Every structure is written in C-alpha cells, then in structure tokens.
Amino acid sequence: MNIQAYFEYCLSKKGVTEHFPFDEDALVFKVGGKMFALSSLNGWEKGTPSINLKCDPERAEELRAEFDDIKPGYHMSKVHWNTVSLHGDVTDKMVRELIDHSYDLVFKSLTKKIQTEIIELKN
C-alpha cells in the first residue's frame, strides 16, 4: 500500500477527518473526533512506512504472534494499539481489514447521537 492508497482509503470511510494534532509529521485520521489511525509522513518518505491502528486487545495479541510486522503500538497504549509496518509480511488486504477494524472500534465507542450524525452524512 502506498501513501495515496492509505490516505484515500481512510478518507473514504464515513465521517473521517484528517489532522496534524501533534506536529507536521504525524498524520491522524479521526471519526467523531476520536483517533483511529495515525502515521508518520517521514516514515513514508524514508521508505519505512507504518500505521498505528486501534485493535481489540485479544486480536492484537493474536496478530502480533502471527505477523512479524505487527508490533505493540509505538507511543500508544500497548494493549489497544498496534503498529503495522508496511511492505513486509502484512498484505494490503490485511492492512485494509485492520483499518476497518480500528475504525469500527472507535465508531462503536461514540455516543449514539454522534453515530447517527455520521451515518446520516452524505459521502
């Protein structure tokens, strides 16, 4: 997956916005004001792209055991976040599934009011 595909895939999800809340390097995608994906732009430029994604704790452990390129979240809660290194043993299809999982976890944590507002958005 290249940065353009990552960017477009995240923004194709309902209610997603992009931000740089920490610095001009860390691109963050949010739904309902809550972060579900972030990545260092410098990492992409250096050819070592990775994405931090929220993950169910049990599934996070399973994924880390199965894939060499999925590690506990860098600078994040190691229980709820994974860092997925791209261009390794994680396929683009799996990366999309992990983005979907992260988005769904965050979306489900939103209030019903905010969920309804997002569902009713026109994309």
Side-chain angles (χ1 to χ4, degrees):
M1 177 174 285
N2 63 39
I3 192 167
Q4 188 66 31
Y6 166 66
F7 185 82
E8 289 173 1
Y9 191 74
C10 288
L11 283 180
S12 73
K13 305 191 118 349
K14 224 174 228 286
V16 170
T17 55
E18 62 175 294
H19 304 268
F20 289 90
F22 307 113
D23 55 33
E24 55 197 38
D25 176 50
L27 172 61
V28 173
F29 291 101
K30 296 182 179 183
V31 60
K34 292 189 174 186
M35 181 169 48
F36 74 93
L38 71 148
S39 186
S40 163
L41 296 180
N42 288 334
W44 290 90
E45 290 174 8
K46 292 177 184 174
T48 56
S50 65
I51 306 169
N52 282 9
L53 298 166
K54 192 155 189 154
C55 191
D56 172 79
E58 283 185 29
R59 185 164 186 217
E61 289 294 328
E62 292 168 4
L63 290 166
R64 293 171 195 166
E66 184 178 347
F67 296 95
D68 290 336
D69 289 317
I70 298 180
K71 307 274 188 224
Y74 181 71
H75 285 299
M76 308 293 283
S77 164
K78 309 293 187 229
V79 174
H80 296 281
W81 289 84
N82 280 333
T83 297
V84 180
S85 296
L86 304 181
H87 306 158
D89 67 344
V90 183
T91 65
D92 287 358
K93 179 182 179 197
M94 176 58 80
V95 172
R96 286 189 297 274
E97 288 175 17
L98 295 173
I99 291 170
D100 292 345
H101 178 66
S102 182
Y103 174 90
D104 291 343
L105 281 175
V106 173
F107 182 83
K108 289 174 185 172
S109 76
L110 301 172
T111 66
K112 294 294 180 197
K113 180 182 182 219
I114 294 174
Q115 287 180 16
T116 300
E117 289 171 0
I118 292 169
I119 289 168
E120 292 175 353
L121 287 174
K122 293 180 182 172
N123 254 8

